Amino acid sequence: MLVMKFGGSSVGGADAFAQVARIVARARQQDRDVVVVTSAMSGVTDTLIAAARAAAAGDEEPYREARVALLVKHQVVAGQLINDGVERAALGRHFDERLRSFERLCRSIAVLGELTARGLDVVSGLGERLAAPLLAGVLRAHGLYAEAVDATEVLVTDDSFGAANPLMDETRARAQERLRPLLDGGIVPVVTGFIGATVSGIQTTLGRGGSDYSAATLGAALDADEVQIWTDVSGVLTADPRIVPGARTLPVLSYSEAAELAYFGAKVLHPKTMLPAVERKIPLRVLNTFNPDHVGTLIVRDLTEEGRKIGPVKAISVIRNLTLVNVTGKGMMGVPGIAARTFAAAARVGANVLMISQSSSEQSITFVVPQSDARRVLPALQQELGREIERRWVDAIAGREDIVIVAVVGAEMAGTPGIAARVFGALGGASINVIAIAQGSSEVNISLVVLSGDADEAVRQIHTAFQLERVGLEDQG
């Protein structure tokens, strides 16, 4: 069985929908059981969220405009690709009903003057609920038996609105019950990505970009042989090609390498995508919808010989829009609990700590959070450590915003001497100052904090130092 997820760019317009239909048709010829998971059409989710937030602020015009624009956007694709008038009319009614429901919800949001996390999940998941029936109709127009399935019927989650977590036992039971009969009947289920529902049926979302996570979760629930992530790039690259024009596609990655890259800024995969795949040992493959013959990147539990040939460092990624938080003070030495209370304060305000670095003398604690979290973290630390500040045990709590994290990733770095020396040598040769460093005991990732203005050059220097522009060239002779 194959689970195929198509991202927003893969269903961005009529030509893209037609390309997806050709890809699915080819897959059906090779594998009888195919499940398709679709994102919303590109730009739709952002439009929906912006309209709902405007409504909460008292501006009702955006959601009225969004209803009309999104209706036209989906009807244009149906009109170009679906010849059956009855099918087109049925889809038109579906689009109109969904969007009028969205309009009513936004009207309520405007009256209340509040957009709750639960309400935002309903709004932001609408794009997938429009795209799945449309894609199913396009597949039928291309001669395939297909049926749209709302993920609220099959993907069961907890009630963490905005970033829900799948409940695998319940999801497995629902997926087998709802999707297996379709597959046995030769029908391609087209499932909405990104959304799910609690046990009691309340709609949730898995977080932005969560359609990857949806696909991997359904793949695990159905014991798929492979989960394919179809996007607009040919696999996972050694670096962002906008920074390094010579970036190359990585043929193979381990789960741990892919997870590190996703967590540290690589946009190809949702950070949680690996979780269900690891549990069921299901390979993932990242492929390009617009270059379907490219082999892409295979992500597996253990590196193959092909993966080891690449070298100890596989890729470099960057996270931007960060704040470096420093807690410093000579009086912190030997005082138990300072670090625990520091991170407890960050946790209480819901901050995502991306990196931690602490001096062995215990005179400073340094950690990195998104800029959006720093506005809550700094006051929380001032309050938590107020007594230590009064006693002069803590001298300063400060935040610095002009920084980024550069992550150097590779499973084979473990046990390979001299990796850190080559990284820092490359940066030193380019006069790039490293502000903070963190390296886990697994040695899959070395994280560096540098100034924002140095980030791109840092990536280029490390990429060149490890000759990543040569990845794959040996196999081409």
Side-chain angles (χ1 to χ4, degrees), residues 209-226:
S211 292
D212 294 350
Y213 195 15
S214 300
T217 300
L218 291 176
L222 295 166
D223 297 315
D225 299 305
E226 183 173 291

Side-chain angles (χ1 to χ4, degrees), residues 343 353-358 365-368 405 436-439:
F343 295 114
V353 177
L354 298 166
M355 173 180 157
I356 301 169
S357 180
Q358 182 174 11
I365 301 171
T366 300
F367 61 99
V368 180
I405 293 177
I437 306 163
Q439 182 173 13

Side-chain angles (χ1 to χ4, degrees), residues 5 51 70 82 88 109 121 129 137 145 200 226 237 240-241 256 262 281 293 314 341 356 366 419-420 441 452 463:
K5 176 263 175 178
L70 295 180
I82 299 172
R88 284 201 313 274
I109 291 169
D121 271 4
R129 303 179 89 177
Y145 296 105
S200 58
E226 183 173 291
L237 303 183
D240 186 335
S256 60
K281 301 180 178 64
D293 294 325
K314 299 294 194 309
R341 290 170 57 204
I356 301 169
T366 300
I419 298 299
S441 58
S452 299
H463 197 275

Side-chain angles (χ1 to χ4, degrees), residues 41 65-79 95 99:
M41 290 183 70
E65 293 177 352
R67 183 187 73 80
V68 175
L70 295 180
L71 180 62
V72 171
K73 186 181 183 79
H74 291 80
Q75 285 182 329
V76 164
V77 175
F95 300 150
L99 288 165

Side-chain angles (χ1 to χ4, degrees), residues 304-322:
T304 63
E305 185 60 33
E306 184 181 17
R308 293 191 183 94
K309 282 195 307 182
I310 296 170
V313 170
K314 299 294 194 309
I316 306 108
S317 62
V318 180
I319 308 183
R320 304 179 192 271
N321 301 316
L322 304 176

Side-chain angles (χ1 to χ4, degrees), residues 2-7 10 37 209 211-216 226-235 267-270 273-274 283-289 296-297 299:
L2 193 60
V3 175
M4 310 175 74
K5 176 263 175 178
F6 294 93
S10 298
V37 176
S211 292
D212 294 350
Y213 195 15
S214 300
E226 183 173 291
V227 174
Q228 295 181 347
I229 308 297
W230 290 84
T231 181
D232 56 0
V233 294
S234 297
K267 303 297 185 185
V268 177
L269 288 170
H270 186 280
T273 303
M274 263 58 67
L284 299 169
R285 196 181 296 273
V286 181
L287 296 157
N288 190 341
T289 302
T297 300
I299 302 172

